[in-house]
Amino acid sequence: MIPDAKESELLKQGYYTASGTVLKRKEGMKNSQSLLLFLKGYGIVWVSAPSGSKSRFAGAEEPMVWGSYELYKSPGRFYVKNAEIKEDFLSVRSSPKKLTTALRLYQLISQTIYQEHENDKALNLLWSCMLLLDSGCPAETVNFRFIWRLLKYLGLAPSLTNCVSCSAQLKTAFAAHDGLLCEKCAAEGCKISAGQLVELQTAAMLPQEKFAEWAKGKTGADNLDIEIFEECSKYLKTFFDGLG
């Protein structure tokens, strides 16, 4: 039985089972490796596992693989006893753009989410965005959606609908260091047109299924303003600067 969030910080020695994904892998010495797992009910934890000829996990220790993991908790560390792949996202791995985007998502999770604390909301966000990449949604829209939603979960996301200064509803916007400004309040900054703002709001706020339907209609270059999603993704990442 997986303990709840309050209990997970003080796990007793013994055996546990959890589902999740591999964020990172580090090779060790003498056929050993360390895996940074993001697990349901436990959060992000380092675990030890055999590697090389002694590995019996059939690829479940590869980064970006999602699986079920049987763990043993010693007084100081987790050890993987068994693992089973649930989803390997091969189509994401086979596309350079999708793979690059997925790596960015995983890196951002590793850098911003505290270890050894249950964080199922962030785990579910990562899973949902991997599914969107796998289904063929444009990588630029998925990347933007992930960053904004992770910031929202952390309480750091800038409003995409109201001016950060006067709270007026945005028709166009200007990107400032602390959020989006309306035309009246902005002295300078990167301007986001009305059409671009609607696209950003749509990508960030639509429910999963509606987002997938909308995004797949944007697969043609003429239908998607790639530059605004890339630039605004970079802009959003500046809101993580105060973490850690």
Side-chain angles (χ1 to χ4, degrees):
M1 177 179 177
I2 296 176
D4 63 24
K6 292 182 179 179
E7 293 174 334
S8 65
E9 298 180 20
L10 299 171
L11 291 176
K12 296 180 180 179
Q13 185 172 342
Y15 292 90
Y16 299 89
T17 300
S19 59
T21 186
V22 183
L23 296 177
K24 294 180 181 180
R25 183 182 67 179
K26 293 182 178 180
E27 292 294 336
M29 299 177 65
K30 297 181 180 180
N31 295 316
S32 68
Q33 59 185 333
S34 293
L35 308 177
L36 187 62
L37 300 183
F38 195 0
L39 299 172
K40 182 177 180 180
Y42 300 102
I44 298 176
V45 294
W46 280 105
V47 304
S48 295
S51 65
S53 60
K54 292 188 177 182
S55 177
R56 54 188 180 278
F57 305 133
E61 74 275 24
E62 293 293 329
M64 292 192 296
V65 162
W66 292 71
S68 177
Y69 298 88
E70 296 179 12
L71 309 170
Y72 175 73
K73 174 69 166 58
S74 74
R77 194 167 178 83
F78 278 106
Y79 294 87
V80 181
K81 308 304 291 184
N82 201 4
E84 180 183 359
I85 294 177
K86 298 299 183 181
E87 178 58 65
D88 55 16
F89 288 109
L90 284 178
S91 70
V92 174
R93 297 169 187 273
S94 63
S95 166
K97 179 177 284 190
K98 290 180 181 180
L99 178 59
T100 298
T101 301
L103 289 171
R104 288 173 179 166
L105 307 189
Y106 272 65
Q107 182 181 39
L108 194 54
I109 284 287
S110 300
Q111 292 173 342
T112 58
I113 300 300
Y114 288 114
Q115 295 185 16
E116 299 183 1
H117 291 273
E118 179 273 333
N119 211 318
D120 289 351
K121 288 185 178 180
L123 181 64
N124 290 337
L125 175 62
L126 182 59
W127 168 251
S128 68
C129 286
M130 289 295 290
L131 290 177
L132 291 171
L133 284 175
D134 188 55
S135 70
C137 296
E140 297 84 2
T141 63
V142 177
N143 186 52
F144 176 83
R145 177 182 177 87
F146 177 83
I147 296 172
W148 189 84
R149 288 193 163 220
L150 183 58
L151 283 169
K152 183 182 179 184
Y153 167 63
L154 295 172
L156 301 173
S159 174
L160 299 178
T161 58
N162 297 92
C163 174
V164 69
S165 179
C166 71
S167 300
Q169 186 171 354
L170 294 170
K171 296 180 179 179
T172 60
F174 291 79
H177 74 279
D178 56 349
L180 299 182
L181 296 172
C182 66
E183 193 165 1
K184 181 180 178 181
C185 294
E188 58 182 15
C190 176
K191 183 174 182 179
I192 301 170
S193 71
Q196 291 171 332
L197 186 60
V198 169
E199 295 278 89
L200 295 174
Q201 293 167 347
T202 300
M205 299 176 188
L206 277 182
Q208 181 90 353
E209 291 185 5
K210 291 185 177 180
F211 170 85
E213 182 180 352
W214 168 83
K216 289 175 185 177
K218 297 287 182 179
T219 53
D222 294 336
N223 297 325
L224 179 64
D225 189 340
I226 293 176
E227 184 176 355
I228 192 64
F229 280 101
E230 291 180 337
E231 290 302 313
C232 286
S233 293
K234 292 177 183 177
Y235 167 67
L236 286 181
K237 289 185 75 173
T238 65
F239 287 81
F240 290 108
D241 289 349
L243 292 179

